[in-house]
Amino acid sequence: MTDTEHDREQRGTAGRFAGRRFVVTGGSRGLGEHVVRLLLSQGAQVATCARKPEPLETLHNSLDTPADLFVRTLDVSVPELLDRFVEDAVSALGGLDGVVACAGGAQGRGITEASAEDWAATWRMNVGHVAQLVSTSSPHLRETGGGSIVVVASVSGWKPGPQAQYGSAKAAQIHMVSSLARELAPDGIRVNAVSPGSMLIPGKRWDRMRREDPSAFDRFRSEFPGGELVRPEEVADVIAFLLSDQSRGVTGINLPVDKGQNAPTPEGY
């Protein structure tokens, strides 16, 4: 899809989230920022959080309607801080219609180098954060008659790649989604996962490789049948679909957005 076609499609969906309220964790940069901006552009009110205040301030100050965005600096792996953020966001927005668990990350290297704390921190950031977010937000979604929860997992959750602590945490997220979708279905709450492939995000790993080691980047591109990495806006579009009424019959799935990627890393596995 060309940029012109993409822009035309977005104009066609303008306002589809008018009156809707969403919480997005990890929304200050990268994929999370694309999700926040897309939801706002389609009429939503959004609350988001991140570890550092500067990117949140930059995002907030760049908006035409900054009043539609509630922001807070916090570490989502600390349950009490995440709980307070959700409660305050719901109060500020006047309710809750959907949630995106986008914050994530990894700590440590290979199995002989990674410490027990590296494993625990990676699982707290990914699995613990999602569990706490769903636990705190689902009562509010129930109050508004149901809603949609989208968990951003990863191609690494079902295609092996280093490091194992990250891949296994993402695999756990995918399993959580299939289980929670059934548990929360009686409340009208849908739960789905999106598994992005390797995304070309300015300043991040693959963009640095593209600029600093073009030959290595070209080799990595061969993992994609079409020769191109995933763009974050492509993933954001799918997340928005899963939040929308257009996907009201969809729950409990893991939807890859990876352009058919083979190995998730240049290491070839």
Side-chain angles (χ1 to χ4, degrees), residues 120-262:
T122 300
W123 275 64
R124 282 196 302 269
M125 171 60 70
N126 296 282
V127 183
H129 144 239
V130 170
Q132 196 67 34
L133 181 63
V134 174
S135 174
T136 306
S137 63
S138 55
H140 297 290
L141 294 173
R142 187 185 305 120
E143 287 179 8
T144 55
S148 176
I149 297 171
V150 179
V151 176
V152 178
S154 170
V155 63
S156 296
W158 54 288
K159 293 182 180 179
Q163 279 70 39
Q165 60 269 33
Y166 178 72
S168 61
K170 289 299 181 180
Q173 286 184 334
I174 293 169
H175 188 278
M176 287 172 64
V177 161
S178 63
S179 179
L180 293 174
R182 290 177 175 271
E183 181 177 344
L184 297 176
D187 297 319
I189 299 171
R190 298 184 294 112
V191 189
N192 293 290
V194 169
S195 283
S198 298
M199 290 181 286
L200 191 61
I201 298 174
K204 296 295 186 178
R205 179 183 181 185
W206 310 123
D207 182 50
R208 292 196 304 270
M209 178 187 283
R210 180 180 60 82
R211 290 182 284 106
E212 299 168 5
D213 194 347
S215 60
F217 181 75
D218 285 341
R219 289 193 299 273
F220 182 46
R221 287 201 309 163
S222 68
E223 298 292 347
F224 298 80
E228 297 295 334
L229 276 67
V230 179
R231 295 185 299 167
E233 55 266 36
E234 294 169 331
V235 183
D237 284 343
V238 174
I239 292 172
F241 165 71
L242 290 174
L243 291 171
S244 75
D245 292 339
Q246 293 171 303
S247 64
R248 58 189 177 275
V250 181
T251 193
I253 69 163
N254 173 45
L255 182 54
V257 189
D258 61 5
K259 292 191 172 179
Q261 181 175 2
N262 296 314

